C-alpha cells in the first residue's frame, strides 16, 4: 500500500466578504414620501365627501380626478426603509495628520486617529523611523496608541535624541480575528530632514536635490496626487507617487498571498494586504496536480481548513479512474474521512456553481468520523 500524500495542515476558516448597503441616506426623502402618502389618504376621504356634496356630477368627477392616487400612496409607504437594519461590520480606524515633530526633548512621531474604540479587533501602532540612503528603515521610537470613548484622538511617540538624517512617521493598523493577526495596513508621512544643532533639532520636509546639482524649484506649481502641502503650500513630497500593487509573497494552501501598495518611482511602501481566498485557490490547484501526478492507485488529501473541491479537482479525479481518493477533513472541530472509489465519475458531482462539498461526499460515499 503506497504512502499517503498529505498536503498541509492549517487553521482558520474560509474568508467571507461582507458588503453593507448604505441605506441611511435614503431615510429623509423616503420618510417625506411616506408622510405625503399618509396625507393623501386623508385627503382622499375628504375628496370623496366633497364629491358626494357636489350638485354637478361632472364637477364631482373632476374633483375626484384631482386627488392623489391611493395606490401611489401605498407604494410610497411600502418603500420606506426598514429602520431595524443595522450595519454588519464596524469600519476600521483611520489615521491622519501623520508627521515628524521636534521639541526641546527631541524628535517624535505624531498623528490623529478616528474610529478607534476597541483593541479586540484593531490596534494602532505609531513609529518614528529613520530612512537610510539605501532605502532601509530602522525604528527610532514606537508606541501602541490607546483607544478613546468616541474613537477620536491624538497619539505621539516619546521624544528621542536622534542623529541628523532623514526620518518619517509610520502608523500600522493591525486587524485581529479570533486573537490572531489577520492583516496590517500602513500609513506613512512624507520624508523629513532632521538636523541636530547642539541640544535642539530642526525638522523640515525633505526635498531631494535635482540630479543636475541645482537648487530645488521653489516656484509655484499645482499639486499632484500624493503631494502633501502645508499651510504655506511649501511642504510637498519629493516624489509625485505613482502607486501600484505587487505580490510580495505567493499564496500556498494555508496562507493567502500578500501584496504591497508601493510607488513604482521611488519604491516607498504604503500598505500591505492579503489577497482574499488565494490560499483556497492554491489548495485546489495542489489537489488537482497531485491527483493527476500520483504514482499508484490511491492518494490521501488532508486538510483542516477547507471544505470543498471545485470542478478542476473533480475533473482531475475523473481523469484518473484507477485512483481512489481519500479525503481527511475537519468539520465542527471533529476529523472525518471519506473515500471516492476508483472509477467514480467525479466530474458529475459538482453543483450548479461548480463545487462539491466534503459533507456531500461524506453522505454519498459513507464517510466516517475519525477518533484519535
Amino acid at each position: 500500500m503506497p504512502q499517503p500524500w498529505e498536503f498541509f495542515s492549517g487553521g482558520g476558516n474560509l474568508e467571507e466578504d461582507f458588503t453593507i448597503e448604505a441605506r441611511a441616506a435614503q431615510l429623509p426623502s423616503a420618510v417625506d414620501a411616506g408622510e405625503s402618502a399618509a396625507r393623501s389618504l386623508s385627503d382622499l376621504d375628504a375628496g370623496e365627501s366633497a364629491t358626494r356634496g357636489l350638485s354637478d356630477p361632472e364637477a364631482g368627477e373632476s374633483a375626484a380626478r384631482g386627488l392623489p392616487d391611493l395606490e401611489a400612496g401605498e407604494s410610497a409607504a411600502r418603500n420606506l426603509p426598514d429602520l431595524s437594519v443595522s450595519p454588519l461590520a464596524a469600519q476600521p480606524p483611520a489615521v491622519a495628520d501623520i508627521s515628524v515633530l521636534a521639541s526641546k526633548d527631541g524628535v517624535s512621531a505624531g498623528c490623529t486617529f478616528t474610529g478607534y474604540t476597541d483593541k479586540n479587533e484593531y490596534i494602532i501602532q505609531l513609529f518614528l523611523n529613520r530612512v537610510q540612503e539605501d532605502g532601509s528603515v530602522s525604528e527610532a521610537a514606537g508606541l501602541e496608541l490607546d483607544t478613546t470613548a468616541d474613537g477620536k484622538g491624538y497619539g505621539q511617540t516619546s521624544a528621542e535624541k536622534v542623529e541628523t538624517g532623514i526620518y518619517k512617521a509610520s502608523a500600522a493598523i493591525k486587524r485581529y480575528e479570533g486573537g490572531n493577526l489577520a492583516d496590517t495596513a500602513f500609513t506613512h508621512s512624507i520624508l523629513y530632514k532632521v538636523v541636530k544643532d547642539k541640544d535642539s533639532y530642526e525638522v523640515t520636509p525633505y526635498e531631494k536635490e535635482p540630479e543636475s546639482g541645482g537648487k530645488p524649484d521653489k516656484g509655484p506649481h499645482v499639486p499632484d496626487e500624493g503631494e502633501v502641502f502645508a499651510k504655506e503650500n511649501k511642504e510637498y513630497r519629493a516624489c509625485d507617487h505613482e502607486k501600484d500593487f505587487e505580490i510580495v509573497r505567493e499564496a500556498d494552501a494555508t496562507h493567502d498571498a500578500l501584496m504591497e501598495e508601493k510607488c513604482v518611482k521611488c519604491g516607498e511602501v504604503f500598505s500591505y494586504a492579503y489577497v482574499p481566498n488565494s490560499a483556497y485557490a492554491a489548495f485546489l490547484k495542489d489537489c488537482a496536480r497531485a491527483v493527476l501526478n500520483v504514482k499508484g492507485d490511491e492518494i490521501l488529501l488532508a486538510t483542516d481548513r477547507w471544505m470543498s473541491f471545485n470542478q478542476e479537482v473533480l475533473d482531475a479525479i475523473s481523469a484518473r479512474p484507477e485512483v481512489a481518493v481519500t479525503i481527511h477533513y475537519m468539520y465542527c472541530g471533529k476529523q472525518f474521512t471519506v473515500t471516492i472509489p476508483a472509477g467514480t465519475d467525479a466530474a458529475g458531482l459538482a453543483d450548479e456553481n461548480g463545487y462539491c462539498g466534503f459533507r456531500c461526499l461524506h453522505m454519498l460515499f459513507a464517510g466516517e468520523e475519525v477518533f484519535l
Side-chain angles (χ1 to χ4, degrees), residues 20-32 79 81-83 85:
I20 306 173
E21 182 180 2
R23 304 181 63 189
Q26 301 174 2
L27 285 173
S29 61
V31 170
D32 290 343
N79 287 331
D82 184 0
L83 299 180
V85 173

Side-chain angles (χ1 to χ4, degrees), residues 295-367:
K295 307 290 185 183
D297 57 3
E298 60 182 353
I299 185 173
L300 171 65
L301 307 179
T303 174
D304 61 2
R305 182 179 179 90
W306 309 116
M307 287 293 298
S308 63
F309 286 150
N310 66 352
Q311 191 66 60
E312 180 183 5
V313 179
L314 299 175
D315 289 343
I317 296 173
S318 292
R320 295 294 303 272
E322 77 283 7
V323 176
V325 179
T326 298
I327 307 160
H328 286 182
Y329 67 97
M330 296 291 294
Y331 179 69
C332 292
K334 300 178 181 180
Q335 186 171 345
F336 295 87
T337 182
V338 60
T339 298
I340 303 176
T344 300
D345 180 18
L349 297 177
D351 61 14
E352 64 275 10
N353 298 313
Y355 292 86
C356 183
F358 295 160
R359 297 303 290 171
C360 177
L361 295 176
H362 191 96
M363 292 185 291
L364 290 174
F365 302 110

Side-chain angles (χ1 to χ4, degrees), residues 194-237:
V194 176
V195 178
K196 182 179 181 181
D197 183 13
K198 295 182 180 179
D199 294 332
S200 63
Y201 290 90
E202 180 183 4
V203 175
T204 57
Y206 171 70
E207 297 177 356
K208 186 177 181 180
E209 293 291 337
E211 294 182 0
S212 60
K215 295 182 179 180
D217 181 14
K218 293 291 184 177
H221 65 283
V222 178
D224 295 325
E225 181 180 357
E227 294 182 333
V228 178
F229 275 71
K231 294 180 181 179
E232 298 179 356
N233 282 353
K234 292 181 179 180
E235 178 181 326
Y236 56 89
R237 291 186 183 273

